[in-house]
């Protein structure tokens, strides 16, 4: 698609000011600088080209050059990506970054190539926690009987059901009204999404379970990749990596802003003991970690835990 | 023969609509009464919708129910109008063939992707594209042939 | 250049008489070839365009409406409405506007409203001697009002797209007065047009007959109660309510009125699947077309023009409105909200427009786009359920368009209409 104004195309479902979008724009600037203007990136934010699953498919067809997606849509393409999406696997952001910035992350990114995607880098997605309209969640017992919205993903359904709640798959744009009318009791997400979707206006209890620290992924179409010289490929890889610290800085600022907005509105926020929840996950992990390669990656990730948090 | 095929497409489509009604009804019943939401219902209903819309849309080419603006045809002489209709049928056939060719490619390209909560290949969601495109092309080409022969009633000749 | 290829191909195919869906697909394919996007993407966009949960309201409400018509439920409802409001010329038109406003208000979806009210009211208005084009035009334009009256999921999309911390609560409050105002203006137009065209007027049958009609209509009236009550009490979502409406109507028709058998049910399903696929197939093709428009950055190019043209606030707002109306003729609402909000909102804020106020302007403006050809899904639903071709509808829809445009003007240039309520609470 380089015929279009000479720029490479990139899609994102988040709005233009969102850290992932800004990071890819920064990536494009680095790319332009380092190729003396030969390669640049045209960003299409706000989901205007389709949802993540759809634009991901389009990227594999070579219809888009770059794409920033959550790990979830990759789970239904490549089983190895599931390991980084396991609930309560990462004990902290540092643990997640440490594991994915190194060889484990590289192996996961490399596994995308046979599906027509070049995995370039991981971005932060923060920690997802539960929020609801009923009351604070302290233990899994508090979740019994709650109808909690999940994205259409087997992993999320299994996780929420294992915790004793009723997992309710629902498109994101129906969540606000469903919370307001009581079709569902709650949902789960990170601070920025809890805030930007205005769900905090109706769900007044946010319980910091931090059950998922699954990252965002920045990918390139293999079809577009193969058109680049090996020198250009190296620049693309390096520029993507160089955009990661910038993204994480923006992300931390965004989380802080969202947290302040939510707290200022009077939402009740409580800490929970993750150990009470982790115990319920073992059976669920076993049903998703089925190959020896997956098992090996999980074990390597677990060995990187510090046990401090 | 073609009319029979078209009727069957509509019957299949109607069955799809009725099943979709039951699926969403069950989704509400499961969540509200049984307190246990089915995880498959949303994806199953979406899959059904793609199937029956495309099947019925193919029948629409046979039955000629697709919305169009017939101003030019209305202003033309009968002979000219017939030529215009032939061109339109040929264009519809061409787009049908494109749906068939690229729809088949689409099914093939995503054969390894999984539809979450159903466990089926993503290709299943896209299969009606080539099927419908193929039928659209056939129906449109027969209409074009009928126009060529001067038979505009749409009956089989 | 590419934009000219895209729009030129579309207009050419449409004028030639190629069905709307194929014209949209054909012009999208042409532009994909020009800018070197694999054609498989166009085909995927089509499937993705109808793989949308909220769109299920279209087939379900069309199905429910047809069942109500066949089972005689709708007829009984209209007898009551006719008895109550029939003395006014075009009384059923007024009932239609009121029902569409109420339904649109609760469902938040103009398409769902046009499907539900259109498939019940339009056939009955035709039976009572109203011209089909009038019945459809009243229904589709009134459906737009529901976008302004809360709740409205489009406002939630806008709030997220604005990135400016716009509160949903404020938006919902801000939409109430503009929504009621637009609805009342449409009722006035409905009445004036009815008088001018000499549309039928009913006779009050007397209280005895009226009460009898009311009693017979109770199961039908319950459909509305169940749908609205079910949504408001959190039993189901607005989208799910459409499936519940089908199930409820089928049960009442089969067991209460005993006027609906297997044959009628099967015929209704077959007829509905035709009507729904007619609309959804266009939406599928419009999604491929919209992908091309977005890729060519048509909205951003338009916004860049404004800065060159003027810095006068009133002119800026006027130009934004005209550009949005133009975009709305070619694209559907939700994608346009996410594309145009980040582009036009900063321009509007720059000249002193409040983001909440702009949200209401955007809702009505893009809502008007839903009832304008060549791409207007609400107009297509109306055309399909009313069995009336779009060109015939467009011939007599002008008074209704003008009303919406006047309402848009009022709402754009009198900010207090939108902002008084949110500022008071
Ligand atoms: Na509404
Ligand atoms: Na339009």
């Amino acid at each position: 698609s380089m015929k279009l104004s000479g720029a490479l195309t990139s899609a994102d479902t988040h709005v233009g000011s969102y850290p992932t979008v800004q990071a890819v724009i920064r990536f494009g600037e680095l790319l332009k600088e380092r190729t003396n203007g030969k390669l640049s990136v045209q960003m299409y934010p706000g989901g205007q080209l389709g949802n993540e699953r759809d634009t991901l498919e389009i990227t594999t067809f070579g219809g888009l050059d770059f794409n920033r997606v959550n790990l979830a849509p990759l789970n239904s393409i490549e089983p190895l990506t599931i390991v980084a999406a396991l609930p309560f696997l990462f004990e902290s952001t540092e643990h997640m970054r440490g594991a994915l910035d190194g060889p484990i992350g590289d192996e996961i990114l490399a596994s995308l190539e046979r599906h027509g995607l070049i995995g370039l880098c991981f971005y932060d997605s923060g920690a997802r926690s539960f929020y609801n309209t009923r009351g604070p969640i302290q233990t899994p017992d508090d979740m019994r009987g709650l109808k909690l919205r999940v994205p259409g993903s087997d992993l999320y359904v299994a996780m929420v059901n294992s915790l004793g709640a009723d997992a309710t798959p629902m498109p994101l744009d129906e969540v606000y009204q469903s919370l307001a009318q009581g079709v569902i009791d709650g949902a789960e997400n990170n601070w920025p999404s809890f805030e930007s979707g205005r769900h905090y206006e109706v769900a007044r209890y946010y319980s910091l379970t931090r059950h998922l620290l699954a990252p965002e992924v920045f990918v390139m179409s293999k079809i577009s990749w193969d058109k680049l010289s090996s020198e250009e490929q190296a620049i693309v890889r390096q520029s993507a990596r160089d955009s990661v610290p910038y993204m994480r800085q923006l992300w931390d600022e965004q989380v802080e802003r969202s947290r302040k907005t939510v707290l200022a509105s009077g939402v009740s926020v409580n800490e929970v003991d993750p150990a009470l929840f982790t115990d319920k996950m073992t059976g669920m992990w076993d049903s998703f970690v089925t190959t020896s390669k997956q098992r090996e990656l999980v074990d390597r990730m677990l060995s990187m835990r510090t046990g401090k948090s | 023969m073609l009319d029979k095929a078209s009727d069957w497409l509509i019957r299949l489509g109607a069955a799809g609509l009725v099943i979709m009604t039951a699926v969403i009804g069950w989704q509400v019943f499961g969540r509200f009464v049984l307190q246990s939401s089915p995880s498959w219902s949303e994806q199953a209903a979406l899959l059904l919708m793609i199937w029956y819309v495309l099947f019925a849309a193919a029948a629409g080419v046979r039955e000629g129910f697709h919305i169009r603006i017939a101003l030019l045809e209305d202003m033309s002489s009968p002979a000219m109008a017939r030529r215009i209709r032939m061109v339109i049928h040929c264009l519809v056939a061409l787009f049908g063939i494109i749906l068939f060719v690229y729809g088949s490619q689409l099914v093939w390209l995503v054969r390894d992707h999984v539809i979450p909560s159903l466990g089926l290949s993503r290709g299943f969601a896209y299969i009606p594209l080539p099927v419908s495109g193929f039928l659209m092309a056939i129906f449109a080409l027969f209409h074009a042939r009928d126009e060529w022969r001067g038979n505009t009633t749409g009956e089989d000749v | 250049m590419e934009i000219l290829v895209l729009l030129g191909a579309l207009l050419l195919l449409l004028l030639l008489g190629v069905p709307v869906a194929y014209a949209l697909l054909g012009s999208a394919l042409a532009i994909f070839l020009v800018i070197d996007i694999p054609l498989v993407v166009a085909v995927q966009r089509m499937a993705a365009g109808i793989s949308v949960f909220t769109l299920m309201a279209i087939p379900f409400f069309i199905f429910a409406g047809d069942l109500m018509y066949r089972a005689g439920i709708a007829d009984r409802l209209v007898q009551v409405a006719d008895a109550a409001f029939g003395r006014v010329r075009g009384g059923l038109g007024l009932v239609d506007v009121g029902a569409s406003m109420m339904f649109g208000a609760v469902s938040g979806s103009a398409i769902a409203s046009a499907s539900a009210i259109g498939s019940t009211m339009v056939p009955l208005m035709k039976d009572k001697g109203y011209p089909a084009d009038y019945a459809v035009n009243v229904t589709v334009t009134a459906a737009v009002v529901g976008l302004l009256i809360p709740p409205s999921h489009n406002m939630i999309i806008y709030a997220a797209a604005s990135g400016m911390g716009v509160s949903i609560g404020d938006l919902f409050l801000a939409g109430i007065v503009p929504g009621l105002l637009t609805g009342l203006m449409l009722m006035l137009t409905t009445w004036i047009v009815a008088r001018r065209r000499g549309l039928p007027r009913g006779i009050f049958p007397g209280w005895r007959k009226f009460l009898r009609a009311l009693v017979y209509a109770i199961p039908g009236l319950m459909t509305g109660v169940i749908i609205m009550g079910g949504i408001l009490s959190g039993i189901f979502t607005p989208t799910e309510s459409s499936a519940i409406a089908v199930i409820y109507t089928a049960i009442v028709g089969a067991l209460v009125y005993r006027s609906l058998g297997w044959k009628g049910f099967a015929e209704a399903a077959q007829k509905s699947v035709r009507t729904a696929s007619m609309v959804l197939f266009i939406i599928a093709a419009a999604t491929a077309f919209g992908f091309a428009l977005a890729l060519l950055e048509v909205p951003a190019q338009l916004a860049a023009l404004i800065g060159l043209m003027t810095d006068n606030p009133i002119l800026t707002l006027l130009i934004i409105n005209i550009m949005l109306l133009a975009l709305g003729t070619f694209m559907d609402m939700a994608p346009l909200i996410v594309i145009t909000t980040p582009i036009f909102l900063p321009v509007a804020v720059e000249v002193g427009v409040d983001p909440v106020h702009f949200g209401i302007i955007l809702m009505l403006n893009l809502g008007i786009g839903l009832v304008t050809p060549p791409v207007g899904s609400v107009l297509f639903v109306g055309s399909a359920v009313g069995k009336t071709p779009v060109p015939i509808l467009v011939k007599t829809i002008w008074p209704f368009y003008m009303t919406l445009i006047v309402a848009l003007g009022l709402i754009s240039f009198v900010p207090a209409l939108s902002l008084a309520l949110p500022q008071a609470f």
Side-chain angles (χ1 to χ4, degrees):
Chain A
S1 62
M2 281 197 242
K3 275 192 194 168
L4 193 72
S5 70
L8 298 160
T9 51
S10 188
D12 200 304
T13 50
H14 289 303
V15 295
S17 58
Y18 204 79
T20 53
V21 178
Q22 288 300 316
V24 172
I25 289 175
R26 167 62 61 92
F27 158 81
E29 287 163 4
L30 292 174
L31 198 60
K32 192 168 184 179
E33 202 178 292
R34 294 170 183 177
T35 58
N36 296 318
K38 189 181 169 210
L39 301 180
S40 61
V41 173
Q42 175 63 51
M43 163 61 72
Y44 294 90
Q48 51 181 298
L49 299 182
N51 65 29
E52 291 193 354
R53 192 206 64 217
D54 293 336
T55 56
L56 195 61
E57 283 181 8
I58 293 173
T59 310
T60 67
F61 307 154
L64 284 166
D65 300 307
F66 295 100
N67 203 349
R68 190 287 317 157
V69 291
N70 194 261
L71 205 55
L74 286 166
N75 290 168
S76 37
I77 297 180
E78 169 51 51
L80 216 51
T81 61
I82 291 174
V83 297
L86 291 174
F88 297 101
L89 171 74
F90 297 120
E91 57 179 5
S92 64
T93 303
E94 290 66 40
H95 179 206
M96 186 271 291
R97 288 176 181 174
L100 295 179
D101 289 347
I104 302 176
D106 290 343
E107 283 182 47
I108 295 174
L109 291 176
S111 70
L112 299 176
E113 185 160 354
R114 63 186 193 89
H115 305 285
L117 297 167
I118 302 297
L120 294 173
C121 62
F122 291 104
Y123 289 143
D124 275 21
S125 188
R128 294 173 78 105
S129 294
F130 291 104
Y131 49 85
N132 77 93
T133 57
R134 297 290 186 84
I137 294 169
Q138 312 275 6
T139 69
D141 279 348
D142 299 328
M143 296 180 69
R144 189 154 303 137
L146 288 185
K147 297 181 185 105
L148 299 178
R149 178 267 171 179
V150 291
S153 146
D154 298 310
L155 203 73
Y156 283 78
V157 170
M159 170 184 74
V160 166
N161 286 339
S162 309
L163 291 170
D166 176 21
T168 311
M170 182 182 280
L172 190 60
D173 56 7
E174 296 223 307
V175 173
Y176 181 94
Q177 198 175 343
S178 298
L179 284 168
Q181 314 284 23
V183 176
I184 50 173
D185 302 307
E188 50 78 66
N189 223 313
N190 53 34
W191 282 104
S193 296
F194 182 42
E195 187 254 330
S196 69
R198 303 298 184 276
H199 297 173
Y200 72 95
E201 290 182 4
V202 277
R204 306 295 286 163
Y205 300 93
Y206 194 41
S207 306
L208 301 177
T209 47
R210 299 190 182 88
H211 48 269
L212 275 173
L213 284 101
E216 311 281 346
V217 191
F218 184 44
V219 296
M220 185 173 190
S221 165
K222 188 172 186 311
I223 293 173
S224 310
W225 174 262
D226 288 340
K227 290 179 188 158
L228 302 178
S229 69
S230 58
E231 193 190 344
E232 287 165 341
Q233 289 175 346
I235 294 176
V236 166
R237 259 197 210 287
Q238 191 56 45
S239 303
R241 278 179 199 267
D242 291 347
S243 71
V244 173
Y246 178 66
M247 188 280 165
R248 286 176 180 167
Q249 180 205 330
L250 292 180
W251 178 259
D252 291 342
E253 291 165 11
Q254 173 76 55
V255 168
E256 199 40 39
R257 268 197 306 278
S258 300
R259 206 174 66 87
K260 278 198 179 126
T261 309
V262 171
L263 287 177
S265 81
V267 166
S268 144
V269 177
N270 67 289
E271 290 287 343
V272 301
D273 177 5
L276 298 171
F277 294 78
T278 314
D279 294 347
K280 305 238 169 205
M281 287 298 113
T282 36
M284 195 221 119
W285 278 24
D286 288 344
S287 56
F288 286 92
V289 180
T290 50
T291 68
S292 57
K293 183 70 196 164
Q294 285 177 316
R295 168 67 51 202
E296 179 214 316
L297 287 186
V298 170
D299 288 343
R300 279 161 66 192
M301 287 182 185
L302 288 176
S303 73
M304 295 174 79
R305 278 185 174 177
T306 62
K308 262 186 277 178
S309 44
Chain B
M1 163 66 192
L2 291 178
D3 284 335
K4 216 170 210 173
S6 167
D7 285 348
W8 270 104
L9 286 171
I10 292 289
R11 270 186 216 131
L12 276 176
L17 176 58
V18 172
I19 297 170
M20 189 172 94
T21 313
V23 167
I24 298 299
W26 178 254
Q27 175 172 302
V28 172
F29 188 79
R31 186 184 59 234
F32 190 72
V33 181
L34 305 179
Q35 303 286 316
S36 158
S37 307
S39 61
W40 50 269
S41 52
E42 182 192 348
Q43 290 299 323
L46 288 174
L47 189 100
L48 280 167
M49 189 152 74
I50 300 178
W51 277 67
Y52 74 68
V53 166
L54 285 160
F55 281 174
V61 172
R62 179 67 198 159
E63 297 184 12
F65 67 54
H66 288 293
I67 296 176
R68 67 190 195 94
I69 300 164
L71 283 180
L72 187 68
E73 203 185 304
D74 294 343
M75 292 187 305
S76 310
S77 67
M80 191 62 198
R82 197 166 64 96
R83 275 185 218 127
I84 294 172
R85 281 197 299 273
M86 260 179 58
V87 172
I88 294 172
H89 290 313
C90 289
L91 281 169
V92 169
L94 172 70
F95 298 141
I97 291 166
I98 290 176
L99 270 182
F100 169 65
V101 172
Y102 291 95
S104 307
Q105 190 193 0
L106 182 60
V107 172
W108 176 251
L109 286 172
V110 300
R111 66 195 182 280
D112 288 340
H113 301 192
V114 177
I115 302 176
S117 82
L118 294 183
L120 294 171
S121 160
R122 167 69 51 199
F124 273 101
Y126 295 140
I127 280 179
L129 288 160
V131 174
S132 167
F134 178 76
L135 292 168
M136 283 171 179
I138 300 282
F139 289 147
L141 285 174
F142 272 90
H143 275 314
R145 187 200 65 173
D146 291 346
E147 292 287 357
W148 177 259
R149 292 183 179 172
N151 175 352
T152 56
T153 58
E155 299 290 324
D156 278 336
V157 183
Chain C
M1 169 54 207
E2 289 96 349
I3 296 169
L4 292 180
V5 173
L6 188 66
L7 298 185
L10 177 67
L11 291 179
L12 197 75
L13 290 169
L14 282 176
L15 286 178
L16 184 65
V18 173
V20 176
Y22 296 92
L24 285 163
L25 173 62
S27 43
L29 290 170
I31 198 66
F32 276 42
L33 284 174
V34 170
I35 62 176
D36 198 20
I37 301 282
L39 295 189
V40 66
V41 176
V43 178
Q44 189 246 29
R45 291 319 294 151
M46 287 188 73
I50 47 173
S51 185
V52 177
F53 196 74
T54 46
L55 287 182
M56 286 179 199
I58 298 177
F60 283 145
F61 278 130
I62 288 174
F63 192 15
D66 198 55
L67 287 173
M68 284 180 92
Y69 184 72
R70 270 167 216 272
I73 300 171
D75 186 39
R76 288 175 170 88
L77 282 177
V78 166
Q79 279 174 18
V80 173
D82 206 24
F85 301 96
R87 282 164 299 168
V88 185
R89 208 171 273 290
L92 282 185
L94 297 179
V95 171
D96 188 322
V97 177
S100 297
M101 277 172 67
M102 272 203 290
F103 192 85
V106 173
S107 73
S109 159
I111 287 195
S113 169
S115 310
I117 306 298
S119 55
T120 32
M121 282 297 289
V122 173
L124 285 163
M125 285 172 75
K126 277 159 80 173
D127 288 354
K128 293 269 177 189
Y130 285 77
D133 58 311
Y134 175 82
V136 171
N137 290 339
V138 167
T139 309
V140 296
T141 47
V144 174
V145 179
L147 298 170
L148 296 176
I149 302 176
S152 165
H153 69 263
N154 286 298
M155 289 187 186
I156 301 169
I157 300 177
Y158 167 74
S162 74
M164 285 195 183
V166 181
S167 151
I168 299 277
D170 283 353
L171 274 172
F172 280 4
L173 281 173
I176 294 174
V177 174
L180 292 177
L181 175 75
T182 312
L184 288 175
M185 287 170 64
L186 279 173
M187 282 190 173
L188 189 66
T189 307
T190 302
W191 178 70
I192 293 173
V193 171
R195 281 180 61 102
R196 289 209 150 182
R197 293 177 67 173
L199 298 188
R201 170 205 321 248
I203 349 156
F204 187 66
W207 283 104
R208 250 184 91 94
K209 281 194 172 166
F210 175 69
L211 287 176
R212 231 174 81 134
L214 193 64
V215 170
Y216 280 127
I218 284 175
L221 288 168
M222 286 300 289
T223 319
V225 173
I226 284 174
I227 289 178
M228 304 217 181
I231 294 172
L232 294 176
S233 63
I235 299 173
F236 38 68
T237 68
T239 310
E240 289 168 343
S241 79
S242 55
I244 302 301
V246 173
I247 294 168
Y248 174 78
T249 313
I251 291 173
V252 168
L255 303 181
V256 180
Y257 288 136
R258 296 168 173 273
S259 48
L260 188 72
W262 279 115
K263 194 163 171 282
F265 182 78
E267 279 170 8
Q270 294 187 13
K271 183 166 170 256
S272 305
V273 87
R274 283 187 178 93
T275 312
S277 84
M278 202 187 299
V279 176
L280 286 163
F281 191 57
I282 296 177
I283 292 178
T287 308
F289 185 85
F291 185 86
L293 270 187
L295 212 53
L296 297 177
E297 293 187 287
V298 176
Q301 294 190 10
L302 287 178
L305 283 176
I306 303 176
L308 300 175
M309 286 154 78
T310 181
D311 53 1
N312 174 307
I314 292 180
L315 273 181
T316 303
L317 204 49
L318 189 68
I319 296 171
I320 290 180
N321 266 324
I322 292 171
M323 287 181 169
L324 287 173
L325 283 172
L327 286 169
T329 59
F330 287 105
M331 279 179 88
D332 240 335
M333 186 150 179
L336 265 181
I337 295 174
V338 298
I339 296 172
T340 58
T341 300
I343 295 167
F344 286 101
L345 178 59
V347 183
V349 168
E350 182 81 5
V351 297
V353 179
D354 187 282
V356 170
H357 179 208
F358 186 74
I360 304 303
I361 298 173
L362 191 75
M363 289 305 118
L364 180 54
N365 196 317
L366 300 185
I368 294 173
L370 293 175
V371 290
T372 53
V375 182
S377 28
V378 170
L379 185 67
F380 294 147
V381 168
S383 168
V385 296
K387 304 229 170 302
T388 315
V390 171
I392 296 201
L393 294 176
V394 172
K395 263 184 210 156
T396 56
I397 205 173
W398 289 104
F400 300 95
Y401 281 162
M402 293 317 293
T403 310
L404 290 175
I405 301 279
V406 171
L408 179 63
L410 281 173
I411 289 160
S412 297
F413 296 108
V414 186
L417 290 175
S418 310
L419 297 179
L421 274 185
Q423 278 164 1
F425 288 93

